[in-house]
Amino acid sequence: MKPRTLKLEVNEMSTETMWEKVLQRDAAADGRFVYAVRSTHIYCRPTCPSKRPNREQVEFFANPKEAEQKGYRACRRCAPKTENIASHVARICRELTDDYKGLSPEDIAAREGLALRRLNQIFRTVLGVTVREYLASHKLEDFKSKLKTSQDVTGSMYDAGFGSPSRLYEKSDAVLGMTPASYGRGGRGAHIAFGIRDSEIGHILIAATEKGVCTISFGDNAKKLESDLRKEFHAAEITRNDDAVEQYLDAIAAHIEGNEFLTSIPIDIHATAFQAKVWQLLRNTKPGETLTYSGLAAKLGAPSASRAVARACASNRVAIAIPCHRVVAASGDLSGYRWGVERKRQLLQRERKQVV
């Protein structure tokens, strides 16, 4: 493949704009391009502290690899080859829809001029997953997006890059919960039983498939909880059957009332690779324990991914079973909670009393 030329649509800026950012040593431009000096045969990052060269001696490249293909060597002062890792990962993720589409982790590492082990370290630091895990998640998200639009399972499967139905179902079983066809059609073909019970912190609704619990939610209005469930899985066969989910209702209610801590219950929910890792860490926390978003990110080996951790917590649909109520802001504030901050406060208070 020929090296990419630096296009306006790739960097969303002209060469003169890039030159202005070099003059300003704009940190926001770091990772978006490098500039090279013909007279010295050296390339630098936009924030390099060295003296600025004459404009006529400068040319721009999308990344260090392209500069080196033109014969330039990296500046020792600003070390442009050690790209800002967040920008590095973001660029690779963007290129998965273009130059890198369909490539294996090994191919991507080779294109980046890195060992796969090093590229995996970079991905874990930023996203908390390996390149292969990210590619699998990306491919499934692409499939899900296409399926929602076309409703054609086979066509969406091949368009997303799955070579066979067995490969799709092998991957989706771990992260989609329901089958691919069911997901794209609002749960079509899925059989869901649900029950509702009053508790000290409001109504509890629990819904489950034959694989496990797919929803645990709280609210002040039981009819609203049922309505939300039916909207989420609008094409599934949904039946109220309190007996079918009684064991789950009993377990959640006992936890809320302070009689016993919740032990692990089977869940059947949609998750990306990153969400699954965040949620598993949460399930490993102990009652009364709290973590910050940044602390969770650090445990994942991705200290810069605190916002992604927060989004994963906000996406949780099974309250208490995945105890996202145990995550607080760095300041100690309770911050947001899908089912209300006051419920979060009560859950934490009850757990703390139990462990005293």
Side-chain angles (χ1 to χ4, degrees):
M1 185 182 73
K2 294 180 179 179
R4 286 184 299 115
T5 56
L6 194 59
K7 300 176 183 177
L8 178 59
E9 62 267 27
V10 172
N11 286 292
E12 299 178 351
M13 64 180 79
S14 67
T15 54
E16 291 311 307
T17 300
M18 285 187 276
W19 176 240
E20 286 298 319
K21 292 187 177 296
V22 169
L23 293 177
Q24 298 164 9
R25 293 185 172 87
D26 187 348
D30 226 4
R32 299 187 65 185
F33 65 88
V34 296
Y35 73 92
V37 184
R38 296 185 183 95
S39 59
T40 62
H41 301 289
I42 289 174
Y43 70 91
C44 304
R45 61 174 75 238
T47 54
C48 184
S50 62
K51 182 180 178 181
R52 291 310 184 227
N54 293 328
R55 173 65 185 89
E56 61 270 16
Q57 291 291 323
V58 173
E59 60 179 320
F60 300 93
F61 297 95
N63 54 58
K65 185 178 179 181
E66 291 187 3
E68 291 183 3
Q69 287 174 337
K70 288 288 187 176
Y72 292 100
R73 63 182 186 277
C75 172
R76 293 184 178 179
R77 190 169 184 184
C78 68
K81 201 167 184 177
T82 57
E83 185 178 1
N84 174 285
I85 60 172
S87 298
H88 191 172
V89 171
R91 175 174 57 74
I92 294 173
C93 292
R94 288 195 301 271
E95 291 178 355
L96 288 175
T97 62
D98 185 12
D99 288 353
Y100 289 175
K101 186 173 184 179
L103 296 185
S104 68
E106 291 79 8
D107 291 335
I108 293 172
R111 295 286 181 92
E112 291 294 311
L114 295 171
L116 179 57
R117 180 178 180 182
R118 174 56 181 155
L119 190 59
N120 278 330
Q121 288 175 338
I122 291 171
F123 263 68
R124 285 196 190 98
T125 298
V126 177
L127 299 178
V129 295
T130 64
V131 179
R132 192 174 301 281
E133 289 168 333
Y134 180 83
L135 287 176
S137 176
H138 174 77
K139 190 182 291 187
L140 277 171
E141 289 300 315
D142 189 27
F143 164 77
K144 287 154 60 178
S145 176
K146 287 178 167 59
L147 184 58
K148 280 189 172 182
T149 302
S150 70
Q151 299 294 306
D152 177 3
V153 175
T154 302
S156 298
M157 175 187 74
Y158 288 115
D159 286 346
F162 289 99
S164 67
S166 62
R167 295 298 295 167
L168 169 61
Y169 279 74
E170 173 188 317
K171 295 295 183 183
S172 67
D173 187 59
V175 297
L176 278 179
M178 289 180 290
T179 66
S182 294
Y183 178 85
R185 298 168 185 166
R188 187 179 302 280
H191 300 278
I192 299 175
F194 78 95
I196 300 176
R197 183 180 297 182
D198 288 337
S199 78
E200 297 177 10
I201 61 173
H203 299 292
I204 312 168
L205 179 146
I206 296 182
T209 67
E210 63 276 10
K211 288 186 176 182
V213 172
C214 59
T215 300
I216 301 176
S217 55
F218 297 114
D220 298 321
N221 186 312
K223 290 184 177 180
K224 177 68 163 53
L225 288 174
E226 179 179 348
S227 174
D228 289 344
L229 174 70
R230 293 187 182 278
K231 286 178 182 177
E232 174 70 15
F233 303 109
H234 58 84
E237 181 183 322
I238 300 178
T239 306
R240 177 157 186 176
N241 185 342
D242 291 68
D243 291 340
V245 295
E246 182 178 18
Q247 60 178 318
Y248 304 133
L249 286 167
D250 287 346
I252 296 295
H255 181 86
I256 292 172
E257 292 166 5
N259 296 330
E260 60 183 87
F261 291 129
L262 182 70
T263 55
S264 182
I265 62 174
I267 57 176
D268 181 19
I269 54 177
H270 307 182
T272 65
F274 183 78
Q275 286 173 333
K277 288 195 170 190
V278 173
W279 294 346
Q280 188 56 51
L281 273 179
L282 288 173
R283 296 191 89 187
N284 292 339
T285 59
K286 298 177 181 179
E289 178 184 359
T290 57
L291 291 168
T292 63
Y293 296 108
S294 58
L296 261 176
K299 280 179 174 285
L300 287 167
S304 62
S306 56
R307 288 187 180 180
V309 166
R311 286 194 296 271
C313 292
S315 301
N316 175 31
R317 294 186 176 277
V318 285
I320 298 181
I322 296 176
C324 56
H325 62 277
R326 294 176 188 159
V327 187
V328 299
S331 63
D333 292 339
L334 298 187
S335 65
Y337 187 56
R338 177 188 288 270
W339 300 281
V341 172
E342 185 53 37
R343 284 193 177 91
K344 182 174 185 174
R345 188 187 315 280
Q346 291 181 47
L347 287 170
L348 287 173
Q349 288 176 344
R350 290 167 189 271
E351 288 184 352
R352 286 165 181 159
K353 286 180 180 178
Q354 286 176 273
V355 296
V356 171

